Amino acid sequence: MPDDTMFQAVQHEAAAQGGRSEPLPPSIASYVWRHSGKHQVGLSALSAMVFLLSVWPLEIQRRIVNDAISSGSLSAIVGLSVVYLGIAILEGALKFILNLYRGWVSETAVRHLRMTILRLCGHASQSSVSHEQGGVAIALVLSEADPVGSFVGISLSEPLLQSGILVSVLGYMAYLRPEFALASTLLFLPQMIFVPLIQRAINHRAATRIRTLRRITSGMASVGASGSVSRADRAQSARVDAVFTLNMSIYTLKFGMNFLMNLMNHLGVAAVLGIGGWYVVQGIIDAGAVVAFVSGLAKIVDPWGDLINWYREATVSGVKYRLFETAVRQIAVGADLTGWSFQQERHPSSEKASPNLPNNDG
């Protein structure tokens, strides 16, 4: 692939410079850890607190339906309702703090990526940066830093939170009726097959879209540099049409995948209601257990969907980061700034002139 060849050529050229460090780490995983490692630990702790609270509302619902209502005790009903409300408020407050913390970490990463490009171009001489590289730098600062940096805040806490909720709820369902938990798990197996296949197709189109948008930006930056304006206009129009086609293809795949996932989820609810209703008629289980199963299935569907969204964003962000890092590396090599290193960012007011790049680890 052209990007692989360019990536290897840049690496080889940087190695010829004496093995100096590069502006950004080579992978998004290493960037996440080096940029926000200690914050990922804090986000993970908050995520664990949230998912540990996720099972208790299900048990309280079951006890209200079975124990409190059957006994006719108003005090028991009120007591359980107050406990339920307290847990809901605590869980909501923890989620609010978690989301706010995630947003801060993400925006810090976006700021760092943008400052990396701006300072790299600021230290480079004007003659060393081509029109194409200047256009790519504009695209990196204006649009490409946002999706990559935004993923940093959810990179570890999101899968930990959603998988923790899944395991907790499935474990609770298995405690009540193991066959229901097994049936709920089997419903997700088809999604484990078609989701990666569809997402791989989306990733390929997303990478092509980024390259095409960069060509559009580079073409805008180099207006007047080439002789034929009409030829440049035709090329730009073709690129805009290509982006439109790619976007519509991504929409088709994305919403088609959502349709299949929703269909599987509704099949699960129908199965639980049908089998659970039959068990209640036969006296095998009580109505409270069916209520808990339906609520539990709803609690499984949401985190499963969030996990799929995280997987989708993780794979796309990995592709985008690699393109981002390759472009930064190419600009650094072209401007003879390959010695810039990934260092801790200092506050602008106390920052001294230095070839080192910032790192918002604090």
Side-chain angles (χ1 to χ4, degrees):
M1 294 177 63
D3 282 297
D4 293 333
T5 303
M6 180 179 68
F7 182 78
Q8 293 171 1
V10 171
Q11 275 190 318
H12 178 74
E13 189 169 355
Q17 298 280 345
R20 290 177 289 176
S21 57
E22 300 300 336
L24 293 174
S27 68
I28 192 169
S30 56
Y31 177 79
V32 167
W33 180 249
R34 294 175 66 179
H35 177 76
S36 60
K38 64 182 181 182
H39 296 300
Q40 297 299 330
V41 175
L43 289 170
S44 299
L46 283 171
S47 299
M49 295 180 194
V50 173
F51 78 69
L52 287 175
L53 289 172
S54 61
V55 173
W56 291 104
L58 300 178
E59 176 62 17
I60 293 174
Q61 291 176 18
R62 188 184 72 85
R63 291 191 180 186
I64 289 176
V65 172
N66 286 345
D67 302 336
I69 294 180
S70 61
S71 65
S73 173
L74 179 60
S75 60
I77 296 176
V78 173
L80 289 172
S81 299
V82 170
V83 172
Y84 182 90
L85 180 61
I87 293 177
I89 293 175
L90 178 59
E91 184 179 5
L94 288 175
K95 284 184 177 180
F96 173 78
I97 297 172
L98 174 63
N99 290 330
L100 196 61
Y101 195 1
R102 283 176 173 177
W104 181 85
V105 173
S106 295
E107 287 303 315
T108 303
V110 171
R111 181 181 63 181
H112 173 263
L113 291 172
R114 284 177 173 154
M115 291 304 299
T116 298
I117 296 296
L118 291 174
R119 297 187 184 191
L120 186 63
C121 292
H123 282 75
S125 62
Q126 189 172 5
S127 60
S128 65
V129 179
S130 65
H131 286 292
E132 181 179 356
Q133 289 175 337
V136 169
I138 293 172
L140 294 176
V141 172
L142 294 182
S143 61
E144 295 186 30
D146 268 313
V148 174
S150 296
F151 176 74
V152 174
I154 65 169
S155 57
L156 183 59
S157 61
E158 182 70 0
L160 178 62
L161 172 62
Q162 306 305 338
S163 59
I165 293 175
L166 278 174
V167 171
S168 300
V169 175
L170 284 174
Y172 175 74
M173 294 175 70
Y175 165 75
L176 293 179
R177 297 296 299 188
E179 62 269 29
F180 274 42
L182 178 61
S184 301
T185 304
L186 291 176
L187 288 172
F188 296 112
L189 290 181
Q191 300 183 42
M192 295 179 184
I193 297 174
F194 67 74
V195 166
L197 295 176
I198 297 177
Q199 189 59 47
R200 192 175 304 140
I202 293 176
N203 293 346
H204 176 72
R205 287 160 176 78
T208 304
R209 177 180 177 274
I210 291 173
R211 298 188 195 100
T212 306
L213 287 172
R214 286 182 180 177
R215 294 189 187 101
I216 292 174
T217 309
S218 299
M220 294 171 63
S222 58
V223 171
S226 59
S228 176
V229 176
S230 60
R231 182 183 303 174
D233 288 342
R234 288 195 299 271
Q236 290 288 68
S237 297
R239 290 167 187 150
V240 171
D241 290 339
V243 171
F244 173 81
T245 303
L246 288 168
N247 284 340
M248 292 308 301
S249 178
I250 291 173
Y251 287 147
T252 302
L253 291 169
K254 177 182 176 181
F255 294 127
M257 181 167 64
N258 290 343
F259 167 76
L260 293 175
M261 290 174 58
N262 288 332
L263 178 62
M264 299 301 301
N265 295 337
H266 287 302
L267 286 175
V269 174
V272 168
L273 288 174
I275 298 174
W278 175 252
Y279 277 9
V280 171
V281 171
Q282 298 298 315
I284 300 175
I285 60 176
D286 49 53
V290 177
V291 172
F293 285 137
V294 174
S295 298
L297 192 59
K299 272 188 168 288
I300 290 176
V301 167
D302 289 340
W304 175 254
D306 291 337
L307 270 180
I308 296 298
N309 291 334
W310 175 87
Y311 170 75
R312 179 189 303 165
E313 191 167 347
T315 54
V316 172
S317 297
V319 172
K320 290 180 178 180
Y321 179 83
R322 184 158 186 259
L323 293 172
F324 191 101
E325 190 270 340
T326 301
V328 172
R329 197 181 283 251
Q330 187 182 34
I331 294 173
V333 169
D336 193 24
L337 292 171
T338 51
W340 281 32
S341 61
F342 191 96
Q343 300 291 340
Q344 182 174 3
E345 181 179 353
R346 295 178 295 274
H347 193 274
S349 61
S350 62
E351 198 171 53
K352 298 180 181 179
S354 170
N356 293 331
L357 291 180
N359 173 19
N360 291 321
D361 192 34

